[in-house]
Amino acid sequence: METVVSGIRPTGNLHLGNYFGAIKNFLKMQDEYKCLFFIADWHSLTTHPHPDNLQKSVRTILAEYLACGLDPDKAPIYVQSDVKETLELYLFLNMNAYLGELERTTTFKEKARKQPNNVNAGLLTYPTLMAADILIHRANKVPVGKDQEQNMEMARKFARRFNTIYGCDFFPEPASFSGSAEPIKIPGLDGSGKMGKSEGNAIYLIDEPEVIRKKVMKAVTDSGPTEPNSEKPEVIQNLFALLKVVSSQDVYEFFDEKYNSCEIRYGDLKKQLAEDIIGFTAPIRERIKEISSDAAYLERVAKTGAEKARESADATMREVRRLIGFR
Ligand code: AMP
């Protein structure tokens, strides 16, 4: 069975975009592949987080992913820093990673532009750490978005290079894949492109009903269609895109017909949308609260995940050391 490895950035709370764009796919993947999920706390050090926040954000993201249905019995979930074998592979890979190629990475150039006072070596070698995360389990597939495509190219290059240097066929070249389901983009409701934390337009899974209602009622609309069956402008498409994922088919069709016959009342649509989002998030929110308050459970999940991940990492590193010449 093919191995899938997926990294999770411990940055704040999960929103509807995360759920429908990534997590829903993870839930399918954990049934179809041998999956390993890890929380990328080492990667987050490139921005120098406060020690208190590091701990807290790892716990938060772990609890929220579990609440969404990631099942540690099907796929281990571990914290990156619990599997030190990754660091050893990172070191080995760095010996064959070249300054020029690392400097040319778009993600590095972007980060260097965003944080000009902190262009650290960790940022530069982000692609080698990412390659180590993947190759440590000799993964075949990695679910990533377009923005990570170049880093995936690097991971494949490092795998190939290792195999060539040591005359072996040890590391598979990991393929990027979008997962089992079609990737969907969840839009923001402020008229801008996509929903995101940094965009400040996110509806979070932990948002209380009142907060969700307020956010949805503030969504940007237009003055309504004047001709039957006219094309929906982007802001209206955005509302319908959300209806599509949280509401029933009947509800979606009802408002679609109202739009097409120019009888739509956006206030009604928003009210319905808010209630359907609440209906969807409420059980998840309850589970987040429950799981977050159960420190022993979280610890157990992370510990078991680390044990399983280390078993796989250890097997890889034994062979890597032997191939490199540590005998
Ligand atoms: P981030 O919260 O930016 O760390 O995003 C984590 C993952 O969630 C991304 O790699 C995407 O797969 C997914 N994601 C985030 N925002 C959206 C969105 N608005 N629509 C669809 N997928 C999203």
Side-chain angles (χ1 to χ4, degrees):
M1 196 190 263
E2 287 187 306
T3 301
V4 174
V5 168
S6 187
I8 295 161
R9 295 191 301 155
T11 48
N13 301 103
L14 293 173
H15 52 75
L16 289 176
N18 296 132
Y19 186 89
F20 290 104
I23 299 167
K24 214 172 156 208
N25 235 322
F26 290 174
L27 299 182
K28 259 188 107 184
M29 280 180 328
Q30 68 182 358
D31 288 324
E32 296 169 354
Y33 296 93
K34 176 175 177 271
C35 287
L36 295 114
F37 298 102
F38 69 93
I39 300 174
D41 58 345
W42 277 329
H43 282 287
S44 72
L45 293 180
T46 54
T47 54
H48 299 171
H50 189 278
D52 296 343
N53 293 341
L54 187 67
Q55 262 278 338
K56 217 165 78 193
S57 47
V58 167
R59 279 224 197 101
T60 303
I61 207 79
L62 178 59
E64 296 205 356
Y65 269 84
L66 291 167
C68 287
L70 239 63
D71 181 350
D73 289 330
K74 291 180 184 167
I77 310 169
Y78 66 97
V79 181
Q80 185 185 29
S81 60
D82 281 339
V83 181
K84 313 281 190 233
E85 287 81 355
T86 310
L87 285 183
E88 192 183 354
L89 185 57
Y90 171 55
L91 178 118
F92 292 155
L93 294 176
N94 268 332
M95 297 301 167
N96 298 310
Y98 295 96
L99 186 58
E101 62 188 349
L102 293 170
E103 276 177 339
R104 276 195 300 276
T105 318
T106 317
T107 45
F108 172 69
K109 287 196 273 193
E110 233 168 67
K111 280 279 168 71
R113 193 175 46 79
K114 269 195 203 151
Q115 48 184 76
N117 298 322
N118 180 19
V119 187
N120 59 65
L123 270 186
L124 184 70
T125 56
Y126 189 101
T128 25
L129 183 54
M130 179 166 153
D133 294 326
I134 300 164
L135 301 181
I136 196 79
H137 302 298
R138 302 172 71 201
N140 309 94
K141 287 189 156 118
V142 183
V144 288
K146 272 203 193 84
D147 55 327
Q148 291 295 318
E149 195 37 55
Q150 199 181 17
N151 286 335
M152 283 303 298
E153 271 306 330
M154 305 277 280
R156 285 190 281 274
K157 200 192 276 183
F158 295 145
R160 265 198 311 272
R161 202 172 278 167
F162 184 94
N163 291 345
T164 308
I165 292 174
Y166 298 107
C168 60
D169 193 18
F170 185 63
F171 286 122
E173 282 184 38
S176 322
F177 88 135
S178 54
S180 317
E182 270 301 297
I184 24 175
K185 188 182 96 172
I186 300 298
L189 290 179
D190 52 356
S192 71
K194 70 172 208 170
M195 181 179 289
K197 254 166 291 214
S198 38
E199 284 76 3
N201 61 6
I203 296 176
Y204 293 98
L205 300 177
I206 46 142
D207 278 347
E208 296 291 335
E210 235 0 87
V211 175
I212 294 178
R213 283 190 195 105
K214 271 204 192 109
K215 285 183 179 176
V216 174
M217 294 318 281
K218 271 202 332 219
V220 178
T221 53
D222 61 5
S223 50
T226 48
E227 281 186 36
N229 302 314
S230 48
E231 203 179 308
K232 298 184 186 84
E234 196 184 349
V235 286
I236 305 305
Q237 274 178 29
N238 289 352
L239 285 171
F240 275 89
L242 275 171
L243 270 186
K244 187 116 206 162
V245 292
V246 295
S247 303
S248 69
Q249 182 73 13
D250 286 353
V251 166
Y252 182 88
E253 278 167 15
F254 173 82
F255 285 106
D256 195 43
E257 276 162 27
K258 289 278 178 208
Y259 184 88
N260 286 333
S261 57
C262 305
E263 295 166 313
I264 190 138
R265 286 160 51 166
Y266 291 134
D268 292 348
L269 186 159
K270 287 182 187 180
K271 267 189 204 139
Q272 178 75 42
L273 177 60
E275 293 319 306
D276 288 344
I277 291 176
I278 292 164
F280 174 79
T281 55
I284 300 180
R285 190 177 65 249
E286 284 311 308
R287 280 201 300 276
I288 293 176
K289 286 183 186 162
E290 219 173 278
I291 295 173
S292 304
S293 62
D294 191 347
Y297 173 67
L298 285 174
E299 205 166 299
R300 204 161 59 239
V301 168
K303 188 162 174 273
T304 315
E307 278 164 9
K308 288 186 191 162
R310 288 198 62 200
E311 225 172 86
S312 144
D314 181 57
T316 303
M317 288 318 292
R318 278 170 193 272
E319 189 55 16
V320 165
R321 288 182 207 117
R322 196 190 65 77
L323 285 163
I324 291 181
F326 292 104
R327 292 185 186 136

